[in-house]
Amino acid sequence: MLDEILNKVQQYNPEADFNLIKKAYKFGDRAHEGQLRNSGEKFFIHPCNVALILADLNMDTATIIAGLLHDVIEDTDISYEDVSSEFSGEIADLVEGVTKLKKLKYKTKQENQAENLRKMVLAMAKDIRVIIVKLSDRLHNMRTLEYMTDEKKQEKALETLEIYAPLAHRLGISKIKWELEDLSLRYLEPKMYYELVDKVSRKRREREAYIQEIIKTLSIKLTEMDIENEISGRPKNFYSIYKKMAIQGKAFEQIFDLTAIRVLVDSIKDCYGVLGIVHTLWKPLPGRFKDYIAMPKPNMYQSLHTTVIGPSGEIFEVQIRTYEMHKTAEYGIAAHWKYKEGASKADNFDEKLTWLRQLLDWQNDLKDPKDFMETLKIDFFTDEVFVFTPKGDVINLPEGSTPIDFAYRVHTDIGNKCVGAKIDGRIVPLNYQLKNGNIVEVITSQNSIGPSRDWLKIVKSTQAKSKIRQWYKLKDRDANIIKGKEALERELKRQGYRLNEILKEEWLENIVERLSLNTIDDLYASIGYGNIRLNHIITRLKEFYNKEYPSIAEIDFTEEGLKKSNTKTKKRKSQGVSVKGLDNIKTRISKCCNPVPGDEIIGFITKGRGVSIHRLDCPNIKQEEDPNRFIEVEWNTEKKASYNAEIQIKAIDKGGLLAEIALNINDSGVRLISLNARSNRDKTVIINMTIEINDINQLEYVLGKIKKINNIIDAYRITS
């Protein structure tokens, strides 16, 4: 395999460092010694095949070596430093860039996939060769997928079809794109795939003589016109046929462009000359001409496409391009590689990768893996539509885009102030789907109240959706701050925390900094808007809280330990309860039994919420099976505190009764917190009340006064 790699590289790059490639081969072979693939073959066969695919793409020495070594950091004891010292930092960076995020764990496969893509995007921005190695790696894995389990085959094929084939398309590497698509189809829809293989094979044999006749006729005509040319038939890949059948609902017999005629010439002038000759020989189909020379695709693809009716009435497509354009169509970004030994930088190379810089911006903005994947699939991996500004500038957008998408692509303010649009001089509704070649003029108004929420259902591009959401985020900021703050406080109270103890400004500012926000209000607004999950913030606050206030389980209850704990920790309110000599442990009165001074009580050690205080006769305590979580507690009568007590009154239902009860409670110097009453069929009424008292003596005094009221049948404390 080494000889095969060296021979391929020799054919296109005699300047390559062949000794370094040999060294890398031996280095990789030793590193992977003893490792086997699922097929039972030596593992190193895989990196060698990746290097061969890279050689087919005419890649430089560093990339070939990166292909040979792309798995050593991930699957062997070899480190980044080892590769760097043995070869170079450039090669080590390429190998590390290809390495998957194997050691990181994520909640879902989607998050794992998105994070892997994020790493690839960052590596691509640094050096685009990373993704070319990665695509070659995936291609060979797909060629040998039959050794995987059925579940793994489906998973890998779907990921390839959704991510890697579109990436190859974006980079213009059609050779890899077509093969990845066909291999994916083979495992996702095996029955359909093999049916197509059979049908295409039979159809091709039928059409071969017909296509050869067309090629002969065109070749004679071009020779007469002194146009140097090379003509061939290009078979359509199986996945393209499948898409037409599945998406457009066509039968196989209705697909006419199974084979296209490709004409290669020397110059752009000759391209248009050939087009004229083709249209004089055969009648063109209206609306089927595409000029990708004047308007290249973002992946640098250039060609003229026209569909014509042949001599027997059959329809076929003709593609016309220069040899240089054909090289770009087959090899994409690899054909313009600016690192090739002895080659100058390709013209406007960085401009050809504007989409990559845009993708880099998006991955910084979109923190949610789901949003990032949606952006990839919609903005970068879908078919595109090319439209013009009134000044003639070309704007490319995802297929299905509207004038609103166009407006936001031009400028955020134009999108926000858009009130209408003209297409080719004619006013159209804002949900109009743009078509190739449209001239789009956006109508704006300074009096516009801003984008409508309904636009989110209309627009196609992630950029437009993001800008619309951002506008509403700013517009509703004050309301979201209040909403977020209330939600956080409500949840913390529900979990038993005192707000003054857990919502400390320095802790919130630390969280703000970690989330790359500017202010605490930004934090509240993000919670209110739903950008940040409440549980994430509460988890961080709990971490600070537990460091500040030790858990009862962490305290050493020896005399020395108690003394140390009392001096180390801050004093805190204990609600009038002492915990075995400690006065700095968080306690809370349990709501299930609401103990008050005078009741016999016991402490129960909770997880992260201090000690809950229960009455000794509380049913919940009697059911607890872990005796190690009980702790002795006592009332600390020196500290003034108030407690809630629930009482229930049964009385004869007569007018003015509630007022009289409330008056007696007020005269007792007790605060009434809540009251609820319900009438029964037997002309009685049940009244539930919560009152604030200092101790059990005060409670008994209040109950005694209530019992003396006329028509009161009974009054008693609710125990649980």
Side-chain angles (χ1 to χ4, degrees), residues 224-477:
E224 288 175 5
M225 302 299 293
D226 288 329
I227 298 177
E228 292 288 332
N229 65 85
E230 182 183 313
I231 309 175
S232 61
R234 182 195 69 80
K236 201 174 189 70
N237 74 314
F238 299 120
Y239 183 69
S240 296
I241 301 168
Y242 168 77
K243 271 210 309 185
K244 282 199 172 185
M245 293 172 68
I247 297 171
Q248 298 178 20
K250 289 185 176 182
F252 180 78
E253 290 70 27
Q254 293 175 292
I255 300 172
F256 301 107
D257 56 345
L258 290 176
T259 306
I261 305 300
R262 179 177 293 145
V263 184
L264 304 182
V265 293
D266 290 324
S267 66
I268 292 176
K269 177 187 172 185
D270 287 344
C271 288
Y272 289 100
V274 172
L275 179 68
I277 292 169
V278 168
H279 284 179
T280 58
L281 288 171
W282 303 290
K283 186 177 180 180
L285 274 181
R288 294 296 301 270
F289 168 64
K290 293 172 184 175
D291 188 344
Y292 294 120
I293 292 178
M295 289 189 297
K297 290 185 178 183
N299 63 5
M300 302 174 293
Y301 178 87
Q302 287 184 290
S303 186
L304 297 176
H305 289 193
T306 185
T307 305
V308 296
I309 303 172
S312 303
E314 288 200 44
I315 296 169
F316 64 94
E317 185 183 57
V318 181
Q319 299 175 355
I320 309 160
R321 62 183 72 144
T322 66
Y323 290 98
E324 189 62 33
M325 290 173 191
H326 180 60
K327 190 177 179 184
T328 300
E330 292 290 299
Y331 300 102
I333 204 73
H336 291 261
W337 192 245
K338 64 179 178 180
Y339 293 100
K340 283 183 181 176
E341 291 88 356
S344 59
K345 288 188 178 182
D347 294 335
N348 302 320
F349 182 85
D350 291 328
E351 289 179 20
K352 299 178 195 301
L353 292 176
T354 52
W355 66 271
L356 177 55
R357 287 197 297 276
Q358 190 180 353
L359 182 56
L360 190 64
D361 291 339
W362 280 115
Q363 77 89 27
N364 286 327
D365 293 341
L366 300 169
K367 306 298 181 188
D368 191 306
K370 186 179 177 183
D371 290 341
F372 182 61
M373 294 296 290
E374 184 185 359
T375 300
L376 280 172
K377 290 176 183 177
I378 293 177
D379 279 28
F380 294 96
F381 293 167
T382 57
D383 290 331
E384 295 169 308
V385 60
F386 297 86
V387 295
F388 294 96
T389 67
K391 292 182 178 179
D393 295 326
V394 180
I395 302 285
N396 63 293
L397 292 161
E399 192 174 44
S401 290
T402 66
I404 304 170
D405 292 282
F406 176 89
Y408 278 106
R409 179 62 60 86
V410 173
H411 198 279
T412 302
D413 284 345
I414 292 175
N416 288 338
K417 293 173 182 175
C418 172
V419 293
K422 287 183 180 180
I423 302 296
D424 302 330
R426 180 173 57 89
I427 291 178
V428 297
L430 288 175
N431 64 354
Y432 172 88
Q433 290 196 358
L434 301 175
K435 297 177 178 60
N436 280 318
N438 281 156
I439 299 172
V440 187
E441 182 182 348
V442 179
I443 302 169
T444 60
S445 171
Q446 293 301 319
N447 298 322
S448 168
I449 59 172
S452 164
R453 288 191 189 273
D454 290 337
W455 287 6
L456 290 169
K457 301 172 187 174
I458 298 171
V459 295
K460 182 73 172 177
S461 64
T462 309
Q463 182 184 22
K465 287 180 182 177
S466 176
K467 297 295 183 184
I468 294 166
R469 290 192 186 109
Q470 190 176 15
W471 189 88
Y472 274 98
K473 201 185 298 183
L474 292 172
K475 177 177 176 286
D476 300 338
R477 177 176 165 78

Side-chain angles (χ1 to χ4, degrees), residues 33 176 504 567:
E33 190 174 359
I176 288 182
K504 294 193 175 181
T567 55

Side-chain angles (χ1 to χ4, degrees), residues 157-215:
L158 184 61
E159 185 181 57
T160 299
L161 198 58
E162 289 187 341
I163 304 299
Y164 291 97
L167 268 174
H169 172 67
R170 262 295 180 171
L171 292 169
I173 311 174
S174 57
K175 280 187 70 170
I176 288 182
K177 177 210 172 206
W178 291 333
E179 191 175 351
L180 287 176
E181 287 177 339
D182 286 350
L183 287 168
S184 298
L185 182 64
R186 176 181 164 188
Y187 293 104
L188 291 172
E189 298 283 352
K191 185 179 177 183
M192 174 67 81
Y193 174 80
Y194 287 110
E195 280 181 10
L196 280 177
V197 170
D198 182 56
K199 287 180 179 179
V200 168
S201 178
R202 282 189 277 119
K203 188 83 171 177
R204 195 172 288 155
R205 286 195 295 270
E206 292 171 16
R207 288 171 58 85
E208 205 165 284
Y210 176 71
I211 292 296
Q212 288 304 317
E213 185 62 35
I214 288 170
I215 290 173

